[in-house]
Amino acid sequence: MTEPAFDSARFRQVLGHFPTGVCVVAAFDEGDHPVGMAIGSFFSISLEPPLVGFCAGKGSSTWPKLKAAGKFCVSILGDDQEEVSRRFASKEADKFAGLAWDRSPLGSPRLGGSLAWIDCETEALHDAGDHEIVVGAVHDLAVTAEGHPLVFFRGGYSHLA
């Protein structure tokens, strides 16, 4: 029996019905310039030891710079940071221009106004089709604001009811 051709549009439509939180993963490139990208595939892996993960597209122009850094800070975006997410999902050259940010304890860029941040060193990378699964060892983290998360659902940004 022959399998029918895979329908990638249907795949995206169906999986789009699963809401995801939005965060920005950031580091410094070799020239000490902040680089970052919006991620909708961030997840908790382990409590002992504390590990988190995200998936990075192999075709991303930002991912090789983050990968080379060996450490990163995750900023969890609030529902008032849609424009921040759009900027970090874009091809814009300086995504940090005009934004409030500082350095995390490990020295990675940490966005102001986010709900929380998680400071990590890259623990492992796993090949996964057109993505890499990144495992980060958590070194420090904090909640910085109470509020609702920025959520991506069915192809667009959404808010919790």
Side-chain angles (χ1 to χ4, degrees), residues 3-4 9 33 38 56 68 70 81 94 102 141 147-148 157 161:
E3 288 284 323
H33 301 105
Q81 293 182 296
D94 183 0
D102 63 4
L141 69 169
H148 294 282
Y157 294 96

Side-chain angles (χ1 to χ4, degrees), residues 2-133:
T2 305
E3 288 284 323
F6 187 77
D7 184 347
S8 59
R10 190 171 122 213
F11 182 82
R12 289 178 64 104
Q13 179 206 20
V14 171
L15 293 180
H17 282 72
F18 181 74
T20 61
V22 184
C23 62
V24 168
V25 174
F28 283 96
D29 67 12
E30 292 177 356
D32 203 37
H33 301 105
V35 294
M37 61 187 192
I39 296 289
S41 60
F42 178 73
F43 46 92
S44 170
I45 296 175
S46 170
L47 189 58
E48 191 56 47
L51 300 172
V52 296
F54 66 93
C55 297
K58 291 179 182 174
S60 165
S61 60
T62 304
W63 171 231
K65 298 170 190 173
L66 289 167
K67 184 177 181 178
K71 61 184 178 179
F72 56 89
C73 187
V74 178
S75 296
I76 298 173
L77 301 184
D79 64 1
D80 61 343
Q81 293 182 296
E82 181 178 331
E83 288 308 313
V84 172
S85 175
R86 289 183 185 283
R87 180 186 292 197
F88 280 91
S90 77
K91 301 281 186 197
E92 196 169 317
D94 183 0
K95 298 174 184 176
F96 287 83
L99 294 179
W101 63 274
D102 63 4
R103 288 183 184 254
S104 69
L106 285 177
S108 297
R110 177 174 57 186
L111 290 177
S114 57
L115 297 178
W117 56 269
I118 304 160
D119 212 12
C120 302
E121 286 186 306
T122 303
E123 174 87 7
L125 299 171
H126 301 281
D127 187 59
D130 59 1
H131 280 68
E132 284 189 278
I133 300 169

